[in-house]
């Protein structure tokens, strides 16, 4: 049968009807909120390209954490700006560095808040790459040494777990990083600490504002030898399958907005919880358009987030999380 017997508009006739048949629901429990911590005192410095997102020194962090908890956001992801950088990112695995300090404090202030530690070296290396770099003597090019980088990532993950991180989130895209970190955590006695793998991370232009926020831009070259080509979809399946076999507990797609097809593909192929990273460039574009009065920020953000859930995301890392939590309550 078809029109006029079939009328699809019947189920859209009122707000109550639309609510009853709604297929995808967005709640505050879906959100992970990123936080940037820095050394110093009395610092709450807005990131220029990310209005409403700040660098926090530890003495001003507690109020931010209490607000996040009061909104019902269940989890945060920590990024740190170290005091010093070197060629091997040694501050990443220093037990007294900024992420480790922040983790210990947050677990005192809000034990129920799930703290996720981003596990990478790019913020901590003086060259801005995600691993150990060697220069080719023959042609002068630089290359990130995959296997030499893995032990340093393991040391970072163990250091973060020792500080109290509930989840380790390696974002480096080295081959074998999940196996290495899983073995390292297990050997250190952290068998029950899950790994939220940045399984499918593209070499994306959407990361620009983050690199300002994290002071992590590469000082030479780019990350295309280890992050994925935006043109590739089947490769995402290979990357995700590797992480599943190596013991990942969550899979992630980053960025989210231009890769909703990849989210859907992973959702259909794997049964692990799936995370979408609504990244800095996506956030910055919305903020800029809203500041110019070109869009309704609230409606755009909620529509974007529901789109990520509809595509298959179980969790969403988003700089919009605090605003979205307010709007969902309202």
């Amino acid at each position: 049968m078809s029109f006029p017997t079939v009328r699809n508009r019947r189920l859209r006739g009122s707000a109550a009807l639309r609510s009853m048949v709604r297929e995808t629901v967005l709640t505050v429990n879906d959100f992970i909120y990123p936080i940037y911590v820095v050394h110093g005192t009395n610092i709450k410095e807005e990131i220029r390209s990310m209005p409403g997102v700040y660098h926090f020194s530890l003495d001003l962090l507690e109020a931010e954490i209490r607000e996040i908890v009061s909104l019902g956001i269940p989890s945060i992801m920590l990024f740190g700006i170290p005091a010093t950088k070197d060629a091997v990112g040694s501050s990443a695995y220093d037990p007294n560095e900024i992420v480790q300090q922040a983790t210990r404090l947050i677990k005192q202030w809000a034990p129920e808040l799930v703290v996720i530690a981003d596990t990478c070296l790019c913020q901590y290396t003086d060259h801005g790459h995600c691993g150990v770099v060697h220069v080719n003597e023959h042609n002068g090019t630089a290359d990130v040494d995959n296997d030499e980088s893995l032990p340093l990532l393991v040391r970072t993950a163990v250091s973060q777990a020792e500080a109290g991180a509930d989840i380790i989130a390696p974002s480096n895209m080295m081959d074998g990083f999940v196996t290495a970190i899983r073995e390292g955590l297990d050997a250190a006695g952290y068998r029950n600490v899950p790994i939220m793998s940045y399984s499918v991370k593209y070499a994306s232009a959407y990361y620009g504002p983050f690199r300002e926020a994290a002071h992590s831009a590469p000082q030479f070259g780019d990350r295309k030898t280890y992050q994925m080509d935006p043109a590739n979809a089947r490769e995402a399946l290979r990357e995700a399958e590797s992480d599943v076999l190596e013991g990942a507990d969550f899979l992630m797609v980053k960025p989210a907005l231009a890769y909703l097809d990849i989210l859907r593909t992973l959702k259909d192929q794997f049964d692990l919880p799936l995370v979408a990273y609504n990244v800095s460039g996506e956030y910055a574009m919305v903020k800029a358009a809203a500041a110019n009065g070109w869009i309704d920020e609230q409606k755009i953000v909620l529509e974007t987030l529901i789109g990520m859930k509809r595509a298959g995301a179980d969790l969403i890392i988003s700089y919009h999380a605090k605003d979205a939590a307010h709007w969902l309550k309202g």
Side-chain angles (χ1 to χ4, degrees):
M1 290 185 181
S2 60
F3 178 84
T5 304
V6 175
R7 291 180 180 267
N8 293 316
R9 287 181 57 187
R10 291 188 188 115
L11 299 184
R12 305 174 196 150
S14 69
L17 270 173
R18 293 191 296 274
S19 178
M20 287 174 65
V21 300
R22 187 162 293 136
E23 299 172 20
T24 306
V25 178
L26 183 71
T27 78
V28 70
N29 290 324
D30 301 324
F31 297 147
I32 299 166
Y33 186 61
I35 292 181
Y36 296 90
V37 288
V38 298
H39 289 280
T41 58
N42 201 35
I43 297 172
K44 182 182 178 181
E45 180 182 48
E46 189 171 43
I47 298 163
R48 181 186 57 83
S49 58
M50 300 172 68
V53 179
Y54 297 85
H55 289 125
F56 287 97
S57 55
L58 298 183
D59 58 316
L60 298 186
L61 183 59
E62 184 175 3
E64 178 76 354
I65 296 301
R66 302 247 178 243
E67 181 186 6
I68 290 165
V69 171
S70 72
L71 289 169
I73 296 171
S75 179
I76 60 169
M77 179 169 278
L78 275 179
F79 297 93
I81 315 301
T84 60
K85 301 187 179 194
D86 58 29
V88 294
S90 58
S91 292
Y93 39 90
D94 182 340
N96 296 312
E97 251 300 342
I98 191 69
V99 166
Q100 289 82 350
Q101 289 185 50
T103 300
R104 288 191 287 267
L105 287 171
I106 292 166
K107 296 309 291 185
Q108 291 176 24
W109 300 328
E112 71 282 12
L113 188 66
V114 176
V115 176
I116 304 172
D118 176 79
T119 305
C120 196
L121 301 180
C122 61
Q123 294 119 276
Y124 304 93
T125 54
D126 52 16
H127 47 71
H129 281 283
C130 301
V132 177
V133 170
H134 292 301
V135 177
N136 188 311
E137 295 179 0
H138 299 292
N139 58 22
T141 60
D143 182 55
V144 176
D145 189 307
N146 190 96
D147 295 7
E148 193 172 336
S149 302
L150 294 177
L152 304 184
L153 294 165
V154 172
R155 291 179 66 181
T156 302
V158 171
S159 174
Q160 292 166 338
E162 287 175 343
D166 298 289
I167 297 173
I168 298 301
S171 59
N172 54 88
M173 288 296 286
M174 298 294 111
D175 290 336
F177 69 95
V178 174
T179 288
I181 290 172
R182 183 72 274 159
E183 291 176 353
L185 289 171
D186 291 356
Y190 298 104
R191 295 179 182 85
N192 293 323
V193 173
I195 295 175
M196 179 183 286
S197 174
Y198 286 64
S199 303
V200 180
K201 182 177 180 181
Y202 285 90
S204 172
Y206 283 96
Y207 303 150
F210 172 86
R211 290 175 181 173
E212 176 194 346
H215 301 176
S216 64
Q219 298 304 299
F220 54 84
D222 54 40
R223 294 175 178 156
K224 293 180 180 180
T225 64
Y226 47 102
Q227 295 178 359
M228 282 182 52
D229 185 336
N232 292 357
R234 293 193 303 272
E235 185 183 3
L237 286 171
R238 298 198 298 273
E239 286 283 1
E241 184 178 23
S242 294
D243 289 356
V244 171
L245 295 174
E246 292 177 22
D249 301 284
F250 302 80
L251 302 177
M252 188 193 301
V253 174
K254 179 183 181 182
L257 194 56
Y259 300 90
L260 297 180
D261 60 320
I262 306 301
L263 275 170
R264 184 73 259 165
T265 299
L266 263 61
K267 186 69 170 182
D268 291 341
Q269 294 292 324
F270 305 104
D271 58 6
L272 291 181
L274 183 60
V275 185
Y277 200 141
N278 178 206
V279 298
S280 60
E282 297 165 2
Y283 175 87
M285 291 191 300
V286 169
K287 283 292 187 180
N292 280 284
W294 297 336
I295 61 170
D296 182 316
E297 181 177 353
Q298 177 176 338
K299 290 179 179 178
I300 287 286
V301 168
L302 293 179
E303 183 176 339
T304 299
L305 296 176
I306 201 74
M308 293 172 187
K309 280 213 70 181
R310 191 184 65 249
D314 298 295
L315 297 166
I316 303 171
I317 305 169
S318 180
Y319 301 96
H320 296 292
K322 288 188 354 182
D323 287 336
H326 279 292
W327 296 331
L328 292 172
K329 282 187 175 185

